[in-house]
Every structure is written in C-alpha cells, then in structure tokens.
Amino acid sequence: MNALLKIIFALCLVLQTHALLAHGSVVPEGDLCIIRIGFYTAHFKVFQPQQSRDREYCEDLPDTGETVFVMDYIHKGLAQVPIEFRIIRDATGLGRYASLDDVLKLGDLEPLTVFHQPPTLETGVFTVLHKFSETGAFLGVVSARHPETGELYSAVFPFSVGFRSWGMLPLFAALAALAQLGYWLFTGGYVRWRARRKSAMDINKYSRIVMLLPLFLLLGAAPAPDSKSWSSSSGAVKISFTSSVNPVPLNEIHSWTLHVTTGNGTPVENAKVSVSGGMPLHNHGLPTAPVVTAYLGNGDYRVEGIRFHMQGDWEMQVIVTQNNTSETIFIQLTL
Ligand SMILES: [Cu+2]
C-alpha cells in the first residue's frame, strides 16, 4: 500500500509540471489565468454558465455547450486595439504543447475554424460566446495588431472540451480503490455495512419527504417577478423596472424603463440617474455602458444599451441624484 501511495504521489508531481507547461500563452498566476498577446496582458477566464454557473476555467472545459471566453484587460492598451478571436480544431497533433509557430505551419485556418470573430474593438471587457457542439481538442488563437507599428501579436492556447485530461491519474485512483475494496471484503467490512444500511433505509424514506416540505412552501410564497422593487439602504428611494424584451434577454442589446419613487411611492421627477452593473461573483462589469437617455415623466427613466453576456447572477447599480443627495440602489437579477 505504501509503495502504491509513493507511485501516485510521484505521478501527481509529473502531471503537475506537465500542467504548468501546458497553457500555451495562458499561464496560471495565483487563482487567475493570464493571457499574453505579445506585450499585451489580460486576465483570462472561461465560463460554462449553463453547466457549472460561476466555475472559472482557464483551459480544459468539462462540457460541450455554451461557453463564454472573457478577457479583462491588465494592459489598458488592449482597449484601443481591435482583437481577433479564433477557435480551431487542433490539427497540430501537439495538444497542449502547440505554439504559435505550429499554428502558422497549418497554413489556411479557415477549414479548421469552428468560431471566428474578426478584429473587434472592445473598450471594456472582451467577451465572446461560442456553443461547442462536439468534444475534442481545440486551439484558441487571439491576435491584436498594434495601432501604430502595425505589428501583429498573437497568443495560442490549447484546450480540450468535454473531458478532463487527468492523464493516468484516474487509472491509479481506480487501482487504489480496488485495493481498498479487496481489503474491506477480506476483513468482513461488507457484511457489517449491509446490516447497518438496512436499518438506515426505513428512516431515510420519511426524512426525505420532511426535507422537501420547506421547498414546497417556498415555491408557493415566491412573489410575482414583475411586482419586484429594490430600495436604497436608507429606504429613501425605491426602484422597479420593466425591460423592452421579456424576459431579460441574454446577449441582446435592449433597454429598460426604471420607475423611481420615494420610499412612500411618490415619483422622483427629473433626477440625475446613472446605471452600471456587473457580476459580483465573476468580478467583471457589463460589456456595455448603459446610458439614461430620457426622462419619460411620472418617475420613469429610459436606460438604453443594456446587454448581459452570460447566464448567472447580475447586479445593476443605479445612482439617483437630486438636490445634491445621491442614493444608490442595487438590483439583483439572475439570468
Ligand atoms: Cu460572468
């Protein structure tokens, strides 16, 4: 047993160094991943909101389906360069060791491309969304052309979709489990477990029903979504909203009408209203900068240019200023 543990430990070490070499232009730094596009750097995050909500990935993705790639600029110069984003099937055969040179040797990338966004200027956060329909090995290619020198900088990051590349580790884990099982059967542990399990079963049946009861009660008590309102911490200002697209859409520019009242429901007329937002759990902002474009009367304000680029928990921050006092209201919504 001791020898087996040593083998597993040695294997972990080997896989660890393997993983460190593995990210191409994306390198881990603490809990974050950094992508280097020439001298440009950005925090690099990948989400699969439908499958794993707020889990952040830097390379290998467990599932197919909707995937969001996010680059939060560290080097602010990236806000002024059009960024090109391409995902190709890995035809280099090099997997995690593929470099930019290997990609250039492939020649025409068009036949291998599964996703391509031509150079796009994003002043805030760069995000692209792609729905993977098949598992496999892929290469991401990110390029940015320097606006003055004209030089093209590129980054390549190999990643896999739909499986975890843990190398031989699962095999060794299975071996260890088998050894443990053998020991257990041999010492009679199984017989004792069977006896305990049988008496536990009858209790389980009832406790499960009791545990579900509060859930039913909660579902019955949930308020209708359109009657929702949010207050500032002092309670002086209250806000509700209606969206031009219902329900609030994913990845679509739309507008909101904010209804702003005092705590007791009197409309707040002609105030200065500003709106921003983001995902607190992902630590990133909105991909757009919404603007209040009109006061519509009766405490209603039109906000244009809202876009949510991924599923999950969002928070909108609304600041209402009138007579030199500002109140801040946070609106929580889950997409
Ligand atoms: Cu997010």
Side-chain angles (χ1 to χ4, degrees), residues 233-259:
S233 57
S234 72
V237 173
K238 216 160 74 179
I239 284 185
S240 60
F241 76 89
T242 50
S243 168
S244 63
V245 183
N246 260 308
V248 173
L250 190 66
N251 247 319
E252 186 183 325
I253 293 260
H254 64 291
S255 60
W256 282 11
T257 300
L258 295 178
H259 184 59

PDB file of all heavy atoms in Angstrom, residues 233-259:
ATOM      1  N   SER A 233     -30.224  51.817   0.670  1.00  0.00           N
ATOM      2  CA  SER A 233     -30.035  51.332   2.044  1.00  0.00           C
ATOM      3  C   SER A 233     -30.790  52.204   3.045  1.00  0.00           C
ATOM      4  O   SER A 233     -31.251  51.713   4.078  1.00  0.00           O
ATOM      5  CB  SER A 233     -28.548  51.268   2.381  1.00  0.00           C
ATOM      6  OG  SER A 233     -27.960  52.535   2.201  1.00  0.00           O
ATOM      7  N   SER A 234     -30.957  53.501   2.749  1.00  0.00           N
ATOM      8  CA  SER A 234     -31.684  54.380   3.676  1.00  0.00           C
ATOM      9  C   SER A 234     -33.198  54.202   3.532  1.00  0.00           C
ATOM     10  O   SER A 234     -33.958  54.635   4.388  1.00  0.00           O
ATOM     11  CB  SER A 234     -31.321  55.833   3.388  1.00  0.00           C
ATOM     12  OG  SER A 234     -31.927  56.247   2.171  1.00  0.00           O
ATOM     13  N   GLY A 235     -33.618  53.595   2.430  1.00  0.00           N
ATOM     14  CA  GLY A 235     -35.046  53.417   2.179  1.00  0.00           C
ATOM     15  C   GLY A 235     -35.699  54.623   1.528  1.00  0.00           C
ATOM     16  O   GLY A 235     -36.905  54.617   1.262  1.00  0.00           O
ATOM     17  N   ALA A 236     -34.903  55.679   1.240  1.00  0.00           N
ATOM     18  CA  ALA A 236     -35.464  56.931   0.711  1.00  0.00           C
ATOM     19  C   ALA A 236     -35.910  56.807  -0.744  1.00  0.00           C
ATOM     20  O   ALA A 236     -36.816  57.509  -1.184  1.00  0.00           O
ATOM     21  CB  ALA A 236     -34.444  58.059   0.856  1.00  0.00           C
ATOM     22  N   VAL A 237     -35.248  55.918  -1.518  1.00  0.00           N
ATOM     23  CA  VAL A 237     -35.578  55.775  -2.933  1.00  0.00           C
ATOM     24  C   VAL A 237     -35.847  54.311  -3.251  1.00  0.00           C
ATOM     25  O   VAL A 237     -35.156  53.413  -2.779  1.00  0.00           O
ATOM     26  CB  VAL A 237     -34.431  56.317  -3.829  1.00  0.00           C
ATOM     27  CG1 VAL A 237     -34.698  56.012  -5.291  1.00  0.00           C
ATOM     28  CG2 VAL A 237     -34.269  57.814  -3.636  1.00  0.00           C
ATOM     29  N   LYS A 238     -36.891  54.104  -4.063  1.00  0.00           N
ATOM     30  CA  LYS A 238     -37.287  52.748  -4.443  1.00  0.00           C
ATOM     31  C   LYS A 238     -37.335  52.665  -5.972  1.00  0.00           C
ATOM     32  O   LYS A 238     -37.745  53.624  -6.636  1.00  0.00           O
ATOM     33  CB  LYS A 238     -38.673  52.463  -3.864  1.00  0.00           C
ATOM     34  CG  LYS A 238     -38.867  51.043  -3.402  1.00  0.00           C
ATOM     35  CD  LYS A 238     -40.020  50.936  -2.416  1.00  0.00           C
ATOM     36  CE  LYS A 238     -41.366  51.061  -3.126  1.00  0.00           C
ATOM     37  NZ  LYS A 238     -42.499  50.928  -2.189  1.00  0.00           N
ATOM     38  N   ILE A 239     -36.925  51.521  -6.521  1.00  0.00           N
ATOM     39  CA  ILE A 239     -36.886  51.378  -7.979  1.00  0.00           C
ATOM     40  C   ILE A 239     -37.513  50.056  -8.406  1.00  0.00           C
ATOM     41  O   ILE A 239     -37.318  49.018  -7.769  1.00  0.00           O
ATOM     42  CB  ILE A 239     -35.425  51.437  -8.496  1.00  0.00           C
ATOM     43  CG1 ILE A 239     -34.921  52.887  -8.470  1.00  0.00           C
ATOM     44  CG2 ILE A 239     -35.307  50.886  -9.909  1.00  0.00           C
ATOM     45  CD1 ILE A 239     -33.560  53.055  -9.064  1.00  0.00           C
ATOM     46  N   SER A 240     -38.293  50.126  -9.476  1.00  0.00           N
ATOM     47  CA  SER A 240     -38.704  48.894 -10.152  1.00  0.00           C
ATOM     48  C   SER A 240     -38.376  49.100 -11.629  1.00  0.00           C
ATOM     49  O   SER A 240     -38.099  50.217 -12.049  1.00  0.00           O
ATOM     50  CB  SER A 240     -40.198  48.631  -9.951  1.00  0.00           C
ATOM     51  OG  SER A 240     -40.944  49.709 -10.478  1.00  0.00           O
ATOM     52  N   PHE A 241     -38.355  48.033 -12.410  1.00  0.00           N
ATOM     53  CA  PHE A 241     -38.016  48.233 -13.824  1.00  0.00           C
ATOM     54  C   PHE A 241     -38.853  47.345 -14.721  1.00  0.00           C
ATOM     55  O   PHE A 241     -39.350  46.294 -14.303  1.00  0.00           O
ATOM     56  CB  PHE A 241     -36.524  47.994 -14.079  1.00  0.00           C
ATOM     57  CG  PHE A 241     -36.118  46.535 -14.104  1.00  0.00           C
ATOM     58  CD1 PHE A 241     -36.161  45.797 -15.291  1.00  0.00           C
ATOM     59  CD2 PHE A 241     -35.692  45.893 -12.946  1.00  0.00           C
ATOM     60  CE1 PHE A 241     -35.787  44.459 -15.318  1.00  0.00           C
ATOM     61  CE2 PHE A 241     -35.322  44.553 -12.961  1.00  0.00           C
ATOM     62  CZ  PHE A 241     -35.371  43.838 -14.144  1.00  0.00           C
ATOM     63  N   THR A 242     -39.014  47.798 -15.968  1.00  0.00           N
ATOM     64  CA  THR A 242     -39.577  46.924 -16.993  1.00  0.00           C
ATOM     65  C   THR A 242     -38.566  46.865 -18.128  1.00  0.00           C
ATOM     66  O   THR A 242     -37.880  47.847 -18.408  1.00  0.00           O
ATOM     67  CB  THR A 242     -40.919  47.459 -17.534  1.00  0.00           C
ATOM     68  OG1 THR A 242     -40.736  48.829 -17.896  1.00  0.00           O
ATOM     69  CG2 THR A 242     -42.021  47.362 -16.501  1.00  0.00           C
ATOM     70  N   SER A 243     -38.448  45.702 -18.740  1.00  0.00           N
ATOM     71  CA  SER A 243     -37.476  45.508 -19.809  1.00  0.00           C
ATOM     72  C   SER A 243     -38.199  45.561 -21.157  1.00  0.00           C
ATOM     73  O   SER A 243     -39.345  45.132 -21.269  1.00  0.00           O
ATOM     74  CB  SER A 243     -36.801  44.142 -19.628  1.00  0.00           C
ATOM     75  OG  SER A 243     -36.060  43.806 -20.776  1.00  0.00           O
ATOM     76  N   SER A 244     -37.507  46.114 -22.190  1.00  0.00           N
ATOM     77  CA  SER A 244     -38.116  46.172 -23.520  1.00  0.00           C
ATOM     78  C   SER A 244     -38.264  44.771 -24.107  1.00  0.00           C
ATOM     79  O   SER A 244     -39.067  44.547 -25.001  1.00  0.00           O
ATOM     80  CB  SER A 244     -37.264  47.040 -24.453  1.00  0.00           C
ATOM     81  OG  SER A 244     -35.982  46.470 -24.623  1.00  0.00           O
ATOM     82  N   VAL A 245     -37.467  43.823 -23.610  1.00  0.00           N
ATOM     83  CA  VAL A 245     -37.569  42.436 -24.055  1.00  0.00           C
ATOM     84  C   VAL A 245     -37.819  41.591 -22.813  1.00  0.00           C
ATOM     85  O   VAL A 245     -37.115  41.712 -21.816  1.00  0.00           O
ATOM     86  CB  VAL A 245     -36.271  41.971 -24.752  1.00  0.00           C
ATOM     87  CG1 VAL A 245     -36.424  40.546 -25.262  1.00  0.00           C
ATOM     88  CG2 VAL A 245     -35.888  42.908 -25.887  1.00  0.00           C
ATOM     89  N   ASN A 246     -38.859  40.759 -22.891  1.00  0.00           N
ATOM     90  CA  ASN A 246     -39.212  39.948 -21.732  1.00  0.00           C
ATOM     91  C   ASN A 246     -39.189  38.466 -22.028  1.00  0.00           C
ATOM     92  O   ASN A 246     -39.738  38.059 -23.036  1.00  0.00           O
ATOM     93  CB  ASN A 246     -40.611  40.333 -21.236  1.00  0.00           C
ATOM     94  CG  ASN A 246     -40.514  41.262 -20.047  1.00  0.00           C
ATOM     95  OD1 ASN A 246     -39.824  40.947 -19.081  1.00  0.00           O
ATOM     96  ND2 ASN A 246     -41.181  42.399 -20.137  1.00  0.00           N
ATOM     97  N   PRO A 247     -38.591  37.637 -21.180  1.00  0.00           N
ATOM     98  CA  PRO A 247     -37.794  38.003 -20.006  1.00  0.00           C
ATOM     99  C   PRO A 247     -36.479  38.673 -20.424  1.00  0.00           C
ATOM    100  O   PRO A 247     -36.148  38.646 -21.617  1.00  0.00           O
ATOM    101  CB  PRO A 247     -37.527  36.649 -19.338  1.00  0.00           C
ATOM    102  CG  PRO A 247     -37.663  35.641 -20.424  1.00  0.00           C
ATOM    103  CD  PRO A 247     -38.647  36.185 -21.400  1.00  0.00           C
ATOM    104  N   VAL A 248     -35.769  39.252 -19.481  1.00  0.00           N
ATOM    105  CA  VAL A 248     -34.498  39.929 -19.767  1.00  0.00           C
ATOM    106  C   VAL A 248     -33.602  38.990 -20.584  1.00  0.00           C
ATOM    107  O   VAL A 248     -33.339  37.869 -20.161  1.00  0.00           O
ATOM    108  CB  VAL A 248     -33.805  40.330 -18.451  1.00  0.00           C
ATOM    109  CG1 VAL A 248     -32.412  40.884 -18.721  1.00  0.00           C
ATOM    110  CG2 VAL A 248     -34.646  41.363 -17.710  1.00  0.00           C
ATOM    111  N   PRO A 249     -33.201  39.439 -21.796  1.00  0.00           N
ATOM    112  CA  PRO A 249     -32.539  38.507 -22.713  1.00  0.00           C
ATOM    113  C   PRO A 249     -31.036  38.365 -22.477  1.00  0.00           C
ATOM    114  O   PRO A 249     -30.417  39.216 -21.836  1.00  0.00           O
ATOM    115  CB  PRO A 249     -32.786  39.158 -24.070  1.00  0.00           C
ATOM    116  CG  PRO A 249     -32.796  40.620 -23.766  1.00  0.00           C
ATOM    117  CD  PRO A 249     -33.366  40.776 -22.384  1.00  0.00           C
ATOM    118  N   LEU A 250     -30.484  37.288 -23.035  1.00  0.00           N
ATOM    119  CA  LEU A 250     -29.048  37.042 -22.991  1.00  0.00           C
ATOM    120  C   LEU A 250     -28.445  37.546 -24.298  1.00  0.00           C
ATOM    121  O   LEU A 250     -28.996  37.290 -25.378  1.00  0.00           O
ATOM    122  CB  LEU A 250     -28.813  35.537 -22.832  1.00  0.00           C
ATOM    123  CG  LEU A 250     -27.386  35.088 -22.532  1.00  0.00           C
ATOM    124  CD1 LEU A 250     -26.937  35.573 -21.170  1.00  0.00           C
ATOM    125  CD2 LEU A 250     -27.299  33.561 -22.585  1.00  0.00           C
ATOM    126  N   ASN A 251     -27.353  38.293 -24.193  1.00  0.00           N
ATOM    127  CA  ASN A 251     -26.590  38.713 -25.365  1.00  0.00           C
ATOM    128  C   ASN A 251     -27.346  39.551 -26.378  1.00  0.00           C
ATOM    129  O   ASN A 251     -27.102  39.432 -27.582  1.00  0.00           O
ATOM    130  CB  ASN A 251     -26.034  37.474 -26.070  1.00  0.00           C
ATOM    131  CG  ASN A 251     -24.544  37.476 -25.941  1.00  0.00           C
ATOM    132  OD1 ASN A 251     -23.902  38.532 -26.064  1.00  0.00           O
ATOM    133  ND2 ASN A 251     -23.982  36.329 -25.672  1.00  0.00           N
ATOM    134  N   GLU A 252     -28.266  40.353 -25.905  1.00  0.00           N
ATOM    135  CA  GLU A 252     -29.042  41.174 -26.817  1.00  0.00           C
ATOM    136  C   GLU A 252     -29.116  42.576 -26.222  1.00  0.00           C
ATOM    137  O   GLU A 252     -29.473  42.742 -25.052  1.00  0.00           O
ATOM    138  CB  GLU A 252     -30.446  40.569 -26.956  1.00  0.00           C
ATOM    139  CG  GLU A 252     -31.309  41.246 -27.996  1.00  0.00           C
ATOM    140  CD  GLU A 252     -32.711  40.639 -28.023  1.00  0.00           C
ATOM    141  OE1 GLU A 252     -32.840  39.404 -27.796  1.00  0.00           O
ATOM    142  OE2 GLU A 252     -33.673  41.387 -28.244  1.00  0.00           O
ATOM    143  N   ILE A 253     -28.757  43.576 -27.031  1.00  0.00           N
ATOM    144  CA  ILE A 253     -28.854  44.960 -26.566  1.00  0.00           C
ATOM    145  C   ILE A 253     -30.336  45.302 -26.427  1.00  0.00           C
ATOM    146  O   ILE A 253     -31.104  45.079 -27.360  1.00  0.00           O
ATOM    147  CB  ILE A 253     -28.180  45.912 -27.579  1.00  0.00           C
ATOM    148  CG1 ILE A 253     -26.665  45.682 -27.614  1.00  0.00           C
ATOM    149  CG2 ILE A 253     -28.519  47.368 -27.269  1.00  0.00           C
ATOM    150  CD1 ILE A 253     -25.838  46.674 -26.830  1.00  0.00           C
ATOM    151  N   HIS A 254     -30.724  45.784 -25.271  1.00  0.00           N
ATOM    152  CA  HIS A 254     -32.119  46.158 -25.071  1.00  0.00           C
ATOM    153  C   HIS A 254     -32.182  47.330 -24.095  1.00  0.00           C
ATOM    154  O   HIS A 254     -31.137  47.815 -23.639  1.00  0.00           O
ATOM    155  CB  HIS A 254     -32.926  44.957 -24.566  1.00  0.00           C
ATOM    156  CG  HIS A 254     -32.508  44.455 -23.222  1.00  0.00           C
ATOM    157  ND1 HIS A 254     -31.292  43.833 -23.005  1.00  0.00           N
ATOM    158  CD2 HIS A 254     -33.116  44.510 -22.019  1.00  0.00           C
ATOM    159  CE1 HIS A 254     -31.191  43.508 -21.730  1.00  0.00           C
ATOM    160  NE2 HIS A 254     -32.278  43.908 -21.103  1.00  0.00           N
ATOM    161  N   SER A 255     -33.379  47.811 -23.805  1.00  0.00           N
ATOM    162  CA  SER A 255     -33.492  48.951 -22.897  1.00  0.00           C
ATOM    163  C   SER A 255     -34.436  48.634 -21.740  1.00  0.00           C
ATOM    164  O   SER A 255     -35.245  47.705 -21.821  1.00  0.00           O
ATOM    165  CB  SER A 255     -33.954  50.193 -23.667  1.00  0.00           C
ATOM    166  OG  SER A 255     -35.209  49.942 -24.249  1.00  0.00           O
ATOM    167  N   TRP A 256     -34.278  49.408 -20.687  1.00  0.00           N
ATOM    168  CA  TRP A 256     -35.127  49.271 -19.506  1.00  0.00           C
ATOM    169  C   TRP A 256     -35.840  50.600 -19.262  1.00  0.00           C
ATOM    170  O   TRP A 256     -35.320  51.657 -19.633  1.00  0.00           O
ATOM    171  CB  TRP A 256     -34.292  48.969 -18.260  1.00  0.00           C
ATOM    172  CG  TRP A 256     -33.814  47.560 -18.116  1.00  0.00           C
ATOM    173  CD1 TRP A 256     -33.858  46.572 -19.046  1.00  0.00           C
ATOM    174  CD2 TRP A 256     -33.187  47.001 -16.956  1.00  0.00           C
ATOM    175  NE1 TRP A 256     -33.304  45.418 -18.548  1.00  0.00           N
ATOM    176  CE2 TRP A 256     -32.880  45.658 -17.260  1.00  0.00           C
ATOM    177  CE3 TRP A 256     -32.861  47.491 -15.699  1.00  0.00           C
ATOM    178  CZ2 TRP A 256     -32.264  44.802 -16.340  1.00  0.00           C
ATOM    179  CZ3 TRP A 256     -32.245  46.639 -14.788  1.00  0.00           C
ATOM    180  CH2 TRP A 256     -31.952  45.309 -15.104  1.00  0.00           C
ATOM    181  N   THR A 257     -36.995  50.527 -18.626  1.00  0.00           N
ATOM    182  CA  THR A 257     -37.596  51.730 -18.076  1.00  0.00           C
ATOM    183  C   THR A 257     -37.561  51.590 -16.558  1.00  0.00           C
ATOM    184  O   THR A 257     -38.111  50.629 -15.998  1.00  0.00           O
ATOM    185  CB  THR A 257     -39.049  51.898 -18.560  1.00  0.00           C
ATOM    186  OG1 THR A 257     -39.035  51.976 -19.985  1.00  0.00           O
ATOM    187  CG2 THR A 257     -39.660  53.171 -17.997  1.00  0.00           C
ATOM    188  N   LEU A 258     -36.857  52.514 -15.912  1.00  0.00           N
ATOM    189  CA  LEU A 258     -36.755  52.487 -14.453  1.00  0.00           C
ATOM    190  C   LEU A 258     -37.879  53.340 -13.878  1.00  0.00           C
ATOM    191  O   LEU A 258     -38.094  54.471 -14.337  1.00  0.00           O
ATOM    192  CB  LEU A 258     -35.423  53.071 -13.987  1.00  0.00           C
ATOM    193  CG  LEU A 258     -34.134  52.342 -14.369  1.00  0.00           C
ATOM    194  CD1 LEU A 258     -32.930  53.121 -13.847  1.00  0.00           C
ATOM    195  CD2 LEU A 258     -34.131  50.920 -13.813  1.00  0.00           C
ATOM    196  N   HIS A 259     -38.593  52.813 -12.926  1.00  0.00           N
ATOM    197  CA  HIS A 259     -39.605  53.604 -12.235  1.00  0.00           C
ATOM    198  C   HIS A 259     -39.025  53.973 -10.872  1.00  0.00           C
ATOM    199  O   HIS A 259     -38.783  53.102 -10.036  1.00  0.00           O
ATOM    200  CB  HIS A 259     -40.906  52.814 -12.104  1.00  0.00           C
ATOM    201  CG  HIS A 259     -42.007  53.607 -11.483  1.00  0.00           C
ATOM    202  ND1 HIS A 259     -42.469  54.791 -12.021  1.00  0.00           N
ATOM    203  CD2 HIS A 259     -42.732  53.398 -10.352  1.00  0.00           C
ATOM    204  CE1 HIS A 259     -43.432  55.272 -11.254  1.00  0.00           C
ATOM    205  NE2 HIS A 259     -43.616  54.454 -10.228  1.00  0.00           N
TER     206      HIS A 259
END
